[in-house]
Amino acid sequence: MSNCTDTGSWEGSALKEMKQDSSTIAWNAMGDEWLELVRKGESRNCFIMPNMLKFMGDVKGKRILDLGCGEGGYSRELTKRGARLVSVDCSKKAIEYAIAFAKEENLHIEHFVRNSNDLFDIESEQFDIVLCSMMLMDCEDFEGTLKEAVRVLKPNGRLFASVLHPCFDGNHEFGIGRQGIGVDRQVVVKNYFKPKEWEAPLPSGTVPVIWRHRTLEDYVKTFLKVGLTITDLNEPRASDDQAQISAAMAWLKKIPLYLYWELKK
Protein backbone atom coordinates (compact mmCIF):
# COMPACT_ATOMS: atom_id res chain seq x y z
CA MET A 1 0.00 0.00 0.00
CA SER A 2 1.41 3.36 -0.98
CA ASN A 3 1.63 6.62 0.93
CA CYS A 4 -1.64 8.31 0.01
CA THR A 5 -1.52 11.53 2.00
CA ASP A 6 -1.28 13.77 -1.08
CA THR A 7 -4.32 14.78 -3.09
CA GLY A 8 -2.88 13.33 -6.28
CA SER A 9 -3.06 9.70 -5.18
CA TRP A 10 -5.60 9.23 -2.38
CA GLU A 11 -8.49 8.22 -4.64
CA GLY A 12 -6.66 5.03 -5.56
CA SER A 13 -6.23 3.10 -8.77
CA ALA A 14 -7.59 4.73 -11.89
CA LEU A 15 -8.56 1.25 -13.09
CA LYS A 16 -11.16 0.77 -10.38
CA GLU A 17 -13.78 3.12 -8.96
CA MET A 18 -15.44 3.09 -5.57
CA LYS A 19 -18.57 0.98 -5.36
CA GLN A 20 -21.66 3.18 -5.30
CA ASP A 21 -24.74 2.41 -3.24
CA SER A 22 -27.35 4.36 -1.28
CA SER A 23 -24.92 4.91 1.60
CA THR A 24 -22.15 6.41 -0.51
CA ILE A 25 -24.58 8.60 -2.47
CA ALA A 26 -26.27 9.94 0.69
CA TRP A 27 -23.06 10.80 2.53
CA ASN A 28 -21.41 12.38 -0.49
CA ALA A 29 -24.46 14.64 -0.81
CA MET A 30 -23.86 16.06 2.68
CA GLY A 31 -20.86 18.13 1.56
CA ASP A 32 -19.81 20.98 3.85
CA GLU A 33 -22.85 20.76 6.11
CA TRP A 34 -21.72 17.48 7.65
CA LEU A 35 -18.34 18.93 8.58
CA GLU A 36 -19.94 21.85 10.39
CA LEU A 37 -22.31 19.55 12.29
CA VAL A 38 -19.70 17.01 13.35
CA ARG A 39 -17.02 19.48 14.44
CA LYS A 40 -19.41 21.31 16.76
CA GLY A 41 -21.40 18.21 17.74
CA GLU A 42 -21.79 18.07 21.51
CA SER A 43 -22.50 14.34 21.75
CA ARG A 44 -19.64 13.40 19.45
CA ASN A 45 -17.02 15.63 21.04
CA CYS A 46 -18.06 15.34 24.69
CA PHE A 47 -19.36 11.76 24.88
CA ILE A 48 -19.03 9.43 21.88
CA MET A 49 -15.38 10.07 21.06
CA PRO A 50 -14.01 10.27 24.64
CA ASN A 51 -15.67 6.96 25.48
CA MET A 52 -14.31 5.21 22.41
CA LEU A 53 -10.77 6.41 23.08
CA LYS A 54 -11.10 5.15 26.66
CA PHE A 55 -12.31 1.73 25.55
CA MET A 56 -9.51 1.42 22.98
CA GLY A 57 -6.87 1.99 25.64
CA ASP A 58 -3.16 2.20 24.83
CA VAL A 59 -2.70 2.27 21.05
CA LYS A 60 0.98 3.15 20.86
CA GLY A 61 2.63 1.31 17.97
CA LYS A 62 -0.66 -0.17 16.76
CA ARG A 63 -1.61 -0.21 13.08
CA ILE A 64 -5.21 1.09 12.95
CA LEU A 65 -7.78 1.40 10.17
CA ASP A 66 -10.26 4.22 10.85
CA LEU A 67 -13.17 2.99 8.74
CA GLY A 68 -15.76 5.69 8.10
CA CYS A 69 -13.30 8.28 9.35
CA GLY A 70 -15.28 11.38 8.36
CA GLU A 71 -13.11 14.47 8.78
CA GLY A 72 -10.46 12.39 10.53
CA GLY A 73 -10.84 13.46 14.16
CA TYR A 74 -10.20 9.98 15.55
CA SER A 75 -7.30 9.38 13.17
CA ARG A 76 -5.54 12.55 14.24
CA GLU A 77 -6.00 11.87 17.95
CA LEU A 78 -4.90 8.23 17.64
CA THR A 79 -1.84 9.30 15.64
CA LYS A 80 -0.92 11.72 18.42
CA ARG A 81 -1.19 8.78 20.82
CA GLY A 82 1.43 6.85 18.86
CA ALA A 83 -0.66 4.71 16.50
CA ARG A 84 -0.11 4.35 12.74
CA LEU A 85 -3.29 5.28 10.91
CA VAL A 86 -5.03 4.55 7.63
CA SER A 87 -8.26 6.55 7.20
CA VAL A 88 -11.10 5.52 4.89
CA ASP A 89 -14.40 7.20 4.06
CA CYS A 90 -16.88 6.99 1.20
CA SER A 91 -17.23 10.79 1.12
CA LYS A 92 -14.70 12.54 -1.08
CA LYS A 93 -15.39 15.83 0.68
CA ALA A 94 -14.74 14.27 4.10
CA ILE A 95 -11.41 12.85 2.95
CA GLU A 96 -10.40 16.21 1.50
CA TYR A 97 -11.00 17.76 4.91
CA ALA A 98 -9.20 14.91 6.68
CA ILE A 99 -6.13 15.37 4.49
CA ALA A 100 -6.10 19.14 5.02
CA PHE A 101 -6.44 18.87 8.80
CA ALA A 102 -3.71 16.21 9.01
CA LYS A 103 -1.36 18.42 7.01
CA GLU A 104 -2.11 21.39 9.27
CA GLU A 105 -0.95 19.35 12.25
CA ASN A 106 1.93 17.71 10.35
CA LEU A 107 0.56 14.21 10.97
CA HIS A 108 1.35 11.25 8.72
CA ILE A 109 -1.95 9.52 7.94
CA GLU A 110 -2.85 7.56 4.81
CA HIS A 111 -6.24 8.39 3.29
CA PHE A 112 -8.52 6.51 0.90
CA VAL A 113 -11.94 7.16 -0.63
CA ARG A 114 -13.66 3.78 -0.52
CA ASN A 115 -16.98 2.11 0.08
CA SER A 116 -16.48 0.22 3.33
CA ASN A 117 -17.55 -3.02 1.61
CA ASP A 118 -14.68 -2.87 -0.92
CA LEU A 119 -11.33 -1.74 0.47
CA PHE A 120 -9.43 -2.30 -2.75
CA ASP A 121 -5.69 -1.52 -2.69
CA ILE A 122 -5.67 -2.13 1.08
CA GLU A 123 -3.82 -5.34 1.87
CA SER A 124 -5.17 -8.19 3.99
CA GLU A 125 -4.16 -8.96 7.57
CA GLN A 126 -2.20 -5.77 8.27
CA PHE A 127 -4.16 -4.01 11.04
CA ASP A 128 -4.12 -4.58 14.77
CA ILE A 129 -7.36 -2.62 15.13
CA VAL A 130 -10.25 -1.59 12.90
CA LEU A 131 -12.26 1.32 14.28
CA CYS A 132 -15.87 1.83 13.18
CA SER A 133 -17.23 4.81 15.08
CA MET A 134 -20.92 5.50 14.49
CA MET A 135 -20.89 4.07 10.98
CA LEU A 136 -21.95 0.40 10.98
CA MET A 137 -25.63 1.28 11.36
CA ASP A 138 -25.36 3.51 8.26
CA CYS A 139 -23.87 0.97 5.84
CA GLU A 140 -26.19 -0.44 3.20
CA ASP A 141 -23.95 -3.51 2.94
CA PHE A 142 -23.42 -4.27 6.62
CA GLU A 143 -22.19 -7.82 6.12
CA GLY A 144 -19.87 -6.82 3.28
CA THR A 145 -18.35 -4.09 5.45
CA LEU A 146 -17.68 -6.54 8.27
CA LYS A 147 -16.16 -9.06 5.87
CA GLU A 148 -13.70 -6.42 4.67
CA ALA A 149 -12.89 -5.44 8.25
CA VAL A 150 -12.15 -9.09 9.05
CA ARG A 151 -10.06 -9.45 5.89
CA VAL A 152 -7.73 -6.56 6.73
CA LEU A 153 -7.40 -7.45 10.45
CA LYS A 154 -4.43 -9.47 11.61
CA PRO A 155 -5.22 -12.80 13.30
CA ASN A 156 -6.55 -11.97 16.79
CA GLY A 157 -6.95 -8.33 15.71
CA ARG A 158 -9.74 -6.31 17.30
CA LEU A 159 -12.65 -4.33 15.94
CA PHE A 160 -14.03 -1.46 18.03
CA ALA A 161 -17.44 -0.14 16.99
CA SER A 162 -19.99 2.32 18.32
CA VAL A 163 -23.56 2.51 17.03
CA LEU A 164 -26.82 4.16 17.96
CA HIS A 165 -28.35 1.88 20.56
CA PRO A 166 -31.01 -0.11 18.68
CA CYS A 167 -33.24 -0.38 21.75
CA PHE A 168 -33.46 3.34 22.43
CA ASP A 169 -33.01 5.19 19.14
CA GLY A 170 -34.78 4.88 15.83
CA ASN A 171 -37.26 6.70 13.64
CA HIS A 172 -38.87 8.88 16.29
CA GLU A 173 -42.18 9.19 14.46
CA PHE A 174 -42.88 5.54 13.73
CA GLY A 175 -40.23 3.42 15.48
CA ILE A 176 -38.68 4.34 18.83
CA GLY A 177 -40.10 7.68 19.85
CA ARG A 178 -39.80 10.35 22.52
CA GLN A 179 -42.28 11.69 25.06
CA GLY A 180 -41.76 14.73 27.26
CA ILE A 181 -38.87 17.20 27.32
CA GLY A 182 -35.50 17.72 28.97
CA VAL A 183 -34.04 15.18 31.39
CA ASP A 184 -37.53 13.85 32.16
CA ARG A 185 -38.38 12.79 28.59
CA GLN A 186 -39.07 9.11 28.02
CA VAL A 187 -38.39 6.58 25.29
CA VAL A 188 -41.59 5.21 23.77
CA VAL A 189 -41.20 2.04 21.73
CA LYS A 190 -43.77 2.17 18.98
CA ASN A 191 -42.15 -0.49 16.81
CA TYR A 192 -38.73 -2.00 17.51
CA PHE A 193 -38.55 -3.83 14.19
CA LYS A 194 -39.73 -1.10 11.79
CA PRO A 195 -38.99 1.08 9.98
CA LYS A 196 -35.68 -0.44 8.91
CA GLU A 197 -34.75 2.52 6.73
CA TRP A 198 -35.82 6.15 6.29
CA GLU A 199 -34.55 9.54 5.10
CA ALA A 200 -34.13 12.58 7.35
CA PRO A 201 -31.53 15.30 7.99
CA LEU A 202 -29.06 14.98 10.84
CA PRO A 203 -30.07 16.90 14.00
CA SER A 204 -29.73 20.63 13.20
CA GLY A 205 -29.04 19.74 9.56
CA THR A 206 -30.94 20.33 6.33
CA VAL A 207 -29.64 17.69 3.89
CA PRO A 208 -31.47 14.32 4.13
CA VAL A 209 -29.41 11.18 4.64
CA ILE A 210 -30.45 7.54 4.82
CA TRP A 211 -30.89 6.21 8.35
CA ARG A 212 -30.99 2.49 9.10
CA HIS A 213 -32.21 0.53 12.11
CA ARG A 214 -30.59 -2.79 12.94
CA THR A 215 -31.75 -4.89 15.86
CA LEU A 216 -29.43 -6.44 18.43
CA GLU A 217 -30.09 -9.76 16.73
CA ASP A 218 -28.99 -8.31 13.38
CA TYR A 219 -25.70 -7.15 14.85
CA VAL A 220 -24.85 -10.30 16.79
CA LYS A 221 -25.77 -12.82 14.10
CA THR A 222 -23.79 -10.92 11.46
CA PHE A 223 -20.75 -10.57 13.72
CA LEU A 224 -20.77 -14.32 14.28
CA LYS A 225 -21.38 -15.08 10.60
CA VAL A 226 -18.23 -13.24 9.48
CA GLY A 227 -16.06 -14.86 12.15
CA LEU A 228 -15.93 -12.22 14.88
CA THR A 229 -16.12 -12.99 18.59
CA ILE A 230 -17.70 -10.48 20.97
CA THR A 231 -15.22 -9.74 23.76
CA ASP A 232 -16.86 -6.74 25.40
CA LEU A 233 -19.99 -4.59 25.29
CA ASN A 234 -20.53 -1.18 26.86
CA GLU A 235 -23.54 1.09 27.34
CA PRO A 236 -21.81 4.16 28.79
CA ARG A 237 -23.72 6.69 30.84
CA ALA A 238 -22.86 10.35 31.26
CA SER A 239 -20.58 11.30 34.11
CA ASP A 240 -21.58 14.03 36.55
CA ASP A 241 -19.30 16.46 34.69
CA GLN A 242 -20.78 15.54 31.31
CA ALA A 243 -24.30 15.92 32.70
CA GLN A 244 -23.53 19.56 33.53
CA ILE A 245 -23.02 20.39 29.84
CA SER A 246 -26.69 20.27 28.80
CA ALA A 247 -30.04 18.59 29.42
CA ALA A 248 -29.39 16.31 26.45
CA MET A 249 -26.14 15.14 28.02
CA ALA A 250 -27.76 14.75 31.44
CA TRP A 251 -30.37 12.47 29.83
CA LEU A 252 -27.52 10.09 29.02
CA LYS A 253 -27.27 9.32 32.73
CA LYS A 254 -30.59 7.51 32.33
CA ILE A 255 -30.83 6.34 28.72
CA PRO A 256 -27.96 4.66 26.80
CA LEU A 257 -28.23 6.12 23.31
CA TYR A 258 -24.90 4.62 22.22
CA LEU A 259 -23.72 1.03 22.23
CA TYR A 260 -20.03 0.07 22.03
CA TRP A 261 -18.79 -3.29 20.77
CA GLU A 262 -15.34 -4.83 21.08
CA LEU A 263 -14.80 -7.86 18.84
CA LYS A 264 -11.89 -10.15 18.00
CA LYS A 265 -11.02 -11.89 14.76
Side-chain angles (χ1 to χ4, degrees):
M1 184 172 59
S2 62
N3 180 342
C4 296
T5 55
D6 64 281
T7 56
S9 60
W10 53 265
E11 290 186 86
S13 171
L15 300 177
K16 185 171 183 179
E17 295 183 356
M18 180 182 72
K19 284 187 177 180
Q20 297 287 337
D21 58 23
S22 62
S23 299
T24 63
I25 293 169
W27 288 100
N28 272 281
M30 283 290 294
D32 295 319
E33 180 178 278
W34 182 85
L35 178 77
E36 292 297 317
L37 292 173
V38 74
R39 286 179 68 82
K40 66 183 181 182
E42 177 183 274
S43 58
R44 186 254 197 178
N45 296 321
C46 300
F47 190 82
I48 299 170
M49 189 170 178
N51 276 306
M52 179 59 82
L53 294 172
K54 178 180 69 175
F55 296 141
M56 292 179 73
D58 184 7
V59 296
K60 188 174 182 179
K62 301 293 186 182
R63 182 79 163 157
I64 300 177
L65 174 63
D66 186 1
L67 190 56
C69 68
E71 46 74 61
Y74 280 97
S75 292
R76 293 190 298 280
E77 181 58 33
L78 291 167
T79 299
K80 293 172 187 176
R81 297 184 181 203
R84 295 171 293 138
L85 266 292
V86 173
S87 300
V88 172
D89 202 276
C90 69
S91 167
K92 182 177 178 181
K93 176 67 74 172
I95 290 295
E96 288 174 349
Y97 280 124
I99 290 172
F101 294 142
K103 285 184 175 179
E104 282 181 10
E105 300 188 48
N106 197 30
L107 299 173
H108 177 79
I109 300 170
E110 297 181 76
H111 297 89
F112 292 87
V113 178
R114 298 287 185 273
N115 190 320
S116 57
N117 68 4
D118 185 19
L119 303 178
F120 63 91
D121 292 342
I122 298 180
E123 298 171 5
S124 300
E125 297 191 350
Q126 65 162 303
F127 294 103
D128 301 291
I129 294 171
V130 172
L131 169 63
C132 300
S133 177
M134 301 302 291
M135 60 82 68
L136 287 179
M137 68 275 184
D138 293 325
C139 299
E140 177 180 321
D141 186 3
F142 176 48
E143 183 177 332
T145 293
L146 289 175
K147 284 180 177 178
E148 279 290 80
V150 170
R151 178 182 69 79
V152 301
L153 273 173
K154 295 176 181 178
N156 297 311
R158 293 181 297 165
L159 187 151
F160 288 88
S162 59
V163 297
L164 289 171
H165 200 307
C167 296
F168 300 102
D169 207 19
N171 182 294
H172 293 178
E173 184 177 358
F174 301 109
I176 301 172
R178 302 287 184 263
Q179 180 174 288
I181 59 174
V183 295
D184 294 323
R185 63 180 171 159
Q186 300 174 357
V187 173
V188 180
V189 180
K190 303 174 183 178
N191 192 328
Y192 175 68
F193 298 105
K194 293 180 181 179
K196 303 285 285 185
E197 182 180 304
W198 64 95
E199 281 195 25
L202 296 177
S204 303
T206 61
V207 181
V209 295
I210 296 176
W211 298 75
R212 291 183 169 86
H213 170 70
R214 292 187 165 97
T215 64
L216 284 172
E217 181 181 62
D218 293 335
Y219 283 111
V220 173
K221 287 187 179 297
T222 310
F223 290 151
L224 298 178
K225 183 177 181 180
V226 302
L228 291 167
T229 300
I230 300 169
T231 57
D232 200 5
L233 179 69
N234 287 282
E235 298 170 304
R237 65 197 68 183
S239 66
D240 290 341
D241 288 341
Q242 289 170 328
Q244 295 298 315
I245 296 172
S246 68
M249 290 290 287
W251 196 52
L252 297 178
K253 289 177 72 71
K254 300 194 292 185
I255 302 294
L257 286 185
Y258 308 103
L259 184 62
Y260 290 72
W261 305 90
E262 181 181 341
L263 306 111
K264 185 173 73 171
K265 178 176 176 178

